[in-house]
Amino acid sequence: MNSPKSPHEPLEPQQHWAHLPENTFAWGIRLLLWVRRHLGAWPLIFCLYPVVLCYWACNARARAASLQYLNRLEEHSHTLGHQASHLDTFKHFIAFAETIMDKLLAISNEPITIQKKGTQGLLDLFEQQRGAIIVTAHIGCLELCRVSAENNSKIRKLNVLVHTAHAQRFNRLLKQLQPNSPVELLQVSEFSTATAVMLAQKIEQGECVAIAGDRVPLGHGLSIPASFLGHEAMFPAGPYILAATLKCPLYAMTCIRAPYLSRKYHYQIQAQCLAEHISLPRKTRQQALMHYAQLYAHWLENQLQSAPLSWFNYFDFWQQGQTNPMPTKTPTA
């Protein structure tokens, strides 16, 4: 293996994240779920960890992306306490494998203790039958947010926007395993007027729409510059435009795995209201979007300080969205 690169160096050019092969197909989930249900946790570990080791050893780009992220996190907040090494990247991949196991537990409805922090505002919205936009990230195990939604009668429905065709396959699997689930994955390959109308109806019905804020969609949508871990990165404008268009609150939410937080709980769902109302004045629209993107970037940085190995973007995050950025200067605060 090559020596670790400086966190300031960009990685070699690579394809957009949406073109990267998806390794957790429905048939694989079914197989692992069968192993977990019928053979137990240890056989599942024996099945999963060798695959992780092979993937880590053979995928130099994902390894380099992990190393770049961990070094930039250490440079920004000294979270690791040392310069990241390839051993740290392996631990990063293992954390992803453990999260896959937790996804299986969530799907199979096995008991998992979940602590909730900052969710009262969302529950109040549900009681008032008001909807909201929830901006998430590829951190932790969001499937447990689905479990929490299913166990809470106040939650009417949670719609998750995704940008890949794999969502249809996984959505069908969820419907088969949990036919009464209030969670639905919505594949959005193109944001059209019809899409906007559909989402507006869901918000009016008191439902929530969740969308990832840390991946720029392929070929459509604006991307906005913001400072992230001390370096400029591009973030999708979609969550903030949606919240402004649909005139609803904007929340950030994630679900982080213990033992980063407390051994009393397996996971902690954390929610924070980023804005009760989003206004995008025509003359200052770009600056307003950048302000909300920066709020999200700061929120994400805080999450990663608590759980540095729980962010699962194994590509050059700081190079995404460079083809359609919004031409404005990155804010510093």
Side-chain angles (χ1 to χ4, degrees):
M1 296 179 186
N2 297 328
S3 59
K5 287 188 175 183
S6 165
H8 298 282
E9 294 182 31
L11 302 182
E12 296 179 1
Q14 60 181 317
Q15 63 191 138
H16 190 277
W17 66 264
H19 287 151
L20 298 176
E22 182 67 56
N23 294 293
T24 52
F25 293 115
W27 66 267
I29 294 291
R30 285 183 178 279
L31 176 61
L32 293 174
L33 186 57
W34 185 91
V35 171
R36 178 64 181 85
R37 283 177 170 173
H38 296 280
L39 302 180
W42 283 108
L44 177 62
I45 292 174
F46 289 135
C47 290
L48 198 59
Y49 281 29
V51 174
V52 175
L53 177 60
C54 291
Y55 183 77
W56 174 83
C58 298
N59 197 322
R61 283 186 171 180
R63 227 172 32 239
S66 172
L67 188 65
Q68 180 195 54
Y69 152 66
L70 291 173
N71 271 322
R72 290 188 172 183
L73 178 64
E74 174 61 21
E75 181 186 65
H76 180 263
S77 58
H78 307 291
T79 301
L80 299 177
H82 59 271
Q83 183 178 2
S85 66
H86 286 297
L87 177 60
D88 292 304
T89 67
F90 182 65
K91 292 178 180 178
H92 191 195
F93 281 59
I94 289 295
F96 180 63
E98 292 174 341
T99 300
I100 290 178
M101 289 194 294
D102 292 334
K103 291 176 188 286
L104 299 181
L105 293 176
I107 292 175
S108 59
N109 291 321
E110 294 198 22
I112 297 179
T113 54
I114 303 174
Q115 183 185 30
K116 299 174 184 177
K117 181 179 178 180
T119 59
Q120 188 57 49
L122 276 173
L123 294 178
D124 291 342
L125 284 178
F126 297 143
E127 282 192 342
Q128 300 165 17
Q129 296 188 358
R130 295 173 57 202
I133 297 296
I134 300 177
V135 58
T136 65
H138 291 80
I139 176 173
C141 185
L142 287 176
E143 277 70 17
L144 291 177
C145 294
R146 296 172 184 160
V147 173
S148 179
E150 289 163 1
N151 294 334
N152 195 317
S153 59
K154 296 179 182 178
I155 300 177
R156 302 189 67 176
K157 196 167 186 181
L158 179 62
N159 305 278
V160 182
L161 295 188
V162 292
H163 299 285
T164 64
H166 302 290
Q168 291 180 330
R169 199 175 308 170
F170 193 62
N171 201 19
R172 286 196 298 268
L173 176 62
L174 286 179
K175 288 296 184 184
Q176 293 171 5
L177 295 173
Q178 300 169 313
N180 298 319
S181 173
V183 179
E184 183 175 1
L185 301 184
L186 301 176
Q187 181 194 350
V188 180
S189 57
E190 182 179 1
F191 195 84
S192 62
T193 302
T195 304
V197 171
M198 173 192 67
L199 296 179
Q201 291 174 343
K202 293 183 178 297
I203 293 295
E204 289 175 0
Q205 293 167 2
E207 300 178 9
C208 283
V209 175
I211 181 171
D214 61 343
R215 288 190 184 179
V216 175
L218 176 64
H220 64 281
L222 292 173
S223 55
I224 320 163
S227 176
F228 178 63
L229 299 183
H231 298 264
E232 182 181 284
M234 306 305 296
F235 292 86
Y240 321 111
I241 295 175
L242 272 177
T245 303
L246 303 180
K247 295 179 172 50
C248 63
L250 176 72
Y251 276 77
M253 186 169 67
T254 191
C255 192
I256 297 177
R257 190 177 195 266
Y260 303 116
L261 299 161
S262 167
R263 294 190 179 274
K264 181 179 179 182
Y265 298 96
H266 291 119
Y267 271 86
Q268 183 184 76
I269 294 176
Q270 300 189 42
Q272 179 179 333
C273 181
L274 296 183
E276 284 288 347
H277 305 281
I278 286 188
S279 176
L280 301 177
R282 181 174 300 178
K283 291 184 179 180
T284 58
R285 184 172 182 267
Q286 295 180 357
Q287 290 84 348
L289 284 170
M290 292 167 63
H291 166 72
Y292 293 116
Q294 192 63 63
L295 285 178
Y296 170 80
H298 285 324
W299 170 82
L300 184 55
E301 288 173 342
N302 290 334
Q303 303 303 305
L304 297 178
Q305 289 180 29
S306 300
L309 300 181
S310 289
W311 195 48
F312 306 128
N313 280 320
Y314 296 100
F315 60 92
D316 189 350
F317 181 83
W318 285 267
Q319 293 298 312
Q320 70 164 341
Q322 296 296 329
T323 57
N324 61 339
M326 185 173 289
T328 49
K329 186 178 179 180
T330 304
T332 57

